[in-house]
Amino acid sequence: MEPMDIFYQILHEDLNPLTSQSTQNLKLQYSKKPLNNEIIKRENTNQYTYYDSLLSDTLKKVKRDIHNKVFQSINDPASIASIIQNHQILILNYGKIIEQNYLPDDKNEKYQISEEKSVTDIFKLTYQTLDSILNYLEVSFYKYLEPSLEIPYQRRLWYVHQKKERCRLLIAMLNALDIPIQLKEIICDPLYKIIDNNLSGFTYEEKEYYDVYIKVLFKLVSKDSIVVEEVYAVLMSLEFNTFKIFFYLRDEYISKRIKRTYGAQKKIGVLHQFLKDIKTTTVTSATKYNPNLPSLKEQLLIWIGEEINALQRTMESSSIELVKEKEETYKQNTKKVLKLSVSEISLITRLLYEQGMLEGSKKKFFEFLSNTFKTHKTKVISPESLSNRYYSIPESTKTSVRKMLRSMLLKLDTIQSET
């Protein structure tokens, strides 16, 4: 039987302290006689001692078993990595089961054993043993570990202990800088997480990132003087890709600068300068603050690119509208004035069609009239208005056109032929 199987039995089968034979015997014993606190305490201690001995022995066996398996694969690094990482995953899963089902809400009490030596204390002891195995894996086989998995709880506590004072000093130095308060809060957030041990699910990747973050920040704030643009560049180079810093840089740094610039062309020029500054910022961190989120640098480049495209589309649209406006003005200025009403033009057009003097599409002819002529009262004769009046002819229009035609006939009689 694999030494690790003992943990499965403790969590799921006959060795579970909640369902083990010794616990059942205690329940039976208590049901037959009055409860005695001393007896309960003694039995609890006996049960705790049993598990303490069992888990201590299991820890030794598991370490020995892992060492033997690794030694057998000494010439196959991939197999060693598989062995180590499989143990990592299995142990972390068992730890999660204990945290979720058997420990109190305050998970920071995992290493505090009560005087009662209760069943909860047995599960704490089991968790501590699992954590000790993880600690052994880190100490003995660090290069084979899966970096995206959590570090042992003991290591996390030690990390917090080591970095706490450094983080406090950094926060004090950052608060002394002449940079916006909102930016200080964003930068200090990871430092407060370390101080408060608020590092749930803390992985090896995150640990590596925090180490670099603290080191680079300390170097930055130790300078004699810095400008806020240096801080932005450092955060981008560190891949500090939180939503808060992205929105801060977008809204408080870039957008405000754009709003103070007048004219689309000048705005585009400013955005291109931001593009240049960001593109030339070198990313020095091998990991990201949030591994599952896009790079801060990439997010900013994409957003600025979209802003430039939007401004260019606006400029193109404005340019097209301006050309159309100029064309329309030119058309209006070159149109000939007809001393007729729209209704009179429609009636004359109808007469020409019905007399066979015009052929073809009425719609196109109406468009021709619209583009070529205007009246004193109507600068734009729409084809629709001509069409609407083509069949609906008021008597007043007929009278005026009739008078016009008579006048034309009289004029015709007075025209002398040129020879």
Side-chain angles (χ1 to χ4, degrees):
M1 183 177 72
E2 293 278 345
M4 283 295 298
D5 290 346
I6 196 74
F7 296 105
Y8 182 87
Q9 293 183 49
I10 291 174
L11 297 177
H12 300 292
E13 293 187 344
D14 56 320
L15 277 177
N16 189 303
L18 294 170
T19 58
S20 65
Q21 189 62 46
S22 60
T23 305
Q24 296 299 327
N25 291 338
L26 278 173
K27 288 180 180 177
L28 183 62
Q29 181 182 0
Y30 295 155
S31 66
K32 291 179 180 179
K33 62 182 180 181
L35 294 176
N36 183 302
N37 288 336
E38 288 300 320
I39 293 175
I40 295 173
K41 187 174 181 179
R42 185 169 62 251
E43 291 296 336
N44 282 349
T45 302
N46 290 340
Q47 182 169 255
Y48 178 86
T49 302
Y50 165 75
Y51 280 100
D52 189 15
S53 176
L54 173 67
L55 290 166
S56 178
D57 184 54
T58 301
L59 177 59
K60 295 175 185 176
K61 289 180 179 178
V62 169
K63 287 181 179 180
R64 191 180 304 116
D65 180 63
I66 293 172
H67 179 270
N68 290 337
K69 287 177 179 177
V70 170
F71 185 77
Q72 290 170 11
S73 305
I74 195 69
N75 295 319
D76 186 0
S79 294
I80 296 175
S82 178
I83 293 166
I84 301 305
Q85 291 172 19
N86 284 339
H87 277 84
Q88 264 186 287
I89 295 168
L90 182 62
I91 294 166
L92 288 169
N93 284 339
Y94 282 157
K96 287 287 188 294
I97 292 171
I98 295 173
E99 284 184 312
Q100 293 169 5
N101 300 313
Y102 302 112
L103 295 188
D105 292 336
D106 187 359
K107 301 298 188 298
N108 290 325
E109 295 183 355
K110 293 171 188 172
Y111 274 80
Q112 297 177 15
I113 304 298
S114 68
E115 293 183 2
E116 289 78 11
K117 302 295 189 294
S118 65
V119 170
T120 299
D121 292 316
I122 292 172
F123 283 115
K124 286 182 179 180
L125 195 63
T126 307
Y127 182 90
Q128 292 169 21
T129 306
L130 290 166
D131 202 54
S132 295
I133 299 171
L134 284 176
N135 194 55
Y136 166 73
L137 292 177
E138 180 177 326
V139 172
S140 304
F141 309 104
Y142 185 82
K143 70 177 182 178
Y144 298 107
L145 294 171
E146 170 51 52
S148 65
L149 296 177
E150 295 174 38
I151 69 173
Y153 186 72
Q154 296 175 63
R155 290 281 171 174
R156 190 176 105 188
L157 293 178
W158 179 243
Y159 183 80
V160 170
H161 174 74
Q162 284 183 309
K163 301 295 183 181
K164 188 178 291 186
E165 291 306 315
R166 187 76 161 180
C167 289
R168 287 197 177 110
L169 176 60
L170 256 177
I171 291 170
M173 295 171 76
L174 282 162
N175 285 330
L177 293 178
D178 184 21
I179 60 175
I181 294 174
Q182 188 180 349
L183 180 60
K184 291 178 185 178
E185 291 173 351
I186 294 170
I187 297 171
C188 290
D189 186 60
L191 307 177
Y192 280 115
K193 283 185 178 180
I194 294 174
I195 293 170
D196 300 332
N197 190 18
N198 185 19
L199 299 170
S200 179
F202 194 51
T203 66
Y204 287 100
E205 281 180 338
E206 289 175 304
K207 178 177 174 291
E208 180 184 345
Y209 182 89
Y210 275 62
D211 285 341
V212 175
Y213 186 77
I214 292 170
K215 180 181 177 181
V216 174
L217 271 187
F218 195 81
K219 184 177 180 181
L220 175 68
V221 299
S222 298
K223 294 175 65 176
D224 293 335
S225 63
I226 59 172
V227 293
V228 72
E229 284 76 14
E230 286 183 89
V231 180
Y232 300 149
V234 166
L235 294 176
M236 276 188 277
S237 70
L238 285 173
E239 284 289 20
F240 188 63
N241 59 333
T242 69
F243 285 120
K244 285 184 178 180
I245 192 62
F246 169 73
F247 291 128
Y248 177 85
L249 290 173
R250 186 193 72 179
D251 301 334
E252 300 299 321
Y253 180 45
I254 302 174
S255 293
K256 282 189 175 180
R257 174 80 179 279
I258 297 302
K259 288 176 182 177
R260 292 196 299 267
T261 306
Y262 296 97
Q265 193 62 54
K266 289 184 178 180
K267 290 178 188 288
I268 289 174
V270 172
L271 286 168
H272 274 296
Q273 185 59 50
F274 278 121
L275 271 183
K276 178 185 174 183
D277 293 342
I278 293 170
K279 284 181 178 179
T280 53
T281 300
T282 304
V283 173
T284 57
S285 175
T287 56
K288 293 184 288 189
Y289 183 67
N290 287 304
N292 298 322
L293 293 179
S295 158
L296 175 60
K297 182 175 177 177
E298 290 174 7
Q299 290 181 77
L300 289 171
L301 290 175
I302 291 170
W303 180 80
I304 293 173
E306 290 298 321
E307 286 296 297
I308 291 173
N309 290 337
L311 284 168
Q312 287 175 337
R313 286 194 295 270
T314 301
M315 287 176 61
E316 289 170 3
S317 177
S318 299
S319 178
I320 291 170
E321 289 299 320
L322 183 60
V323 169
K324 286 182 177 178
E325 188 178 331
K326 287 181 178 179
E327 288 177 349
E328 190 61 35
T329 302
Y330 176 77
K331 285 180 181 178
Q332 294 301 324
N333 292 335
T334 56
K335 284 182 180 181
K336 303 299 181 183
V337 178
L338 283 176
K339 295 180 180 181
L340 300 170
S341 68
V342 176
S343 293
E344 289 169 344
I345 295 171
S346 293
L347 178 54
I348 293 170
T349 302
R350 179 173 174 177
L351 291 172
L352 291 172
Y353 266 104
E354 290 185 356
Q355 290 299 314
M357 300 173 71
L358 280 177
E359 293 181 350
S361 169
K362 293 184 182 69
K363 180 181 178 182
K364 288 184 178 179
F365 188 69
F366 290 149
E367 289 174 354
F368 164 75
L369 292 173
S370 173
N371 293 329
T372 309
F373 299 104
K374 61 184 176 179
T375 70
H376 286 301
K377 292 183 178 181
T378 309
K379 300 298 182 183
V380 178
I381 304 172
S382 70
E384 291 76 17
S385 63
L386 291 168
S387 176
N388 291 338
R389 289 171 171 79
Y390 188 85
Y391 295 105
S392 178
I393 304 168
E395 286 300 323
S396 60
T397 301
K398 290 180 181 179
T399 300
S400 63
V401 170
R402 190 178 291 113
K403 182 179 178 181
M404 188 189 315
L405 291 174
R406 286 197 189 105
S407 177
M408 291 173 69
L409 286 172
L410 291 172
K411 182 66 176 174
L412 178 63
D413 291 337
T414 63
I415 293 176
Q416 295 180 357
S417 297
E418 295 182 5
T419 56

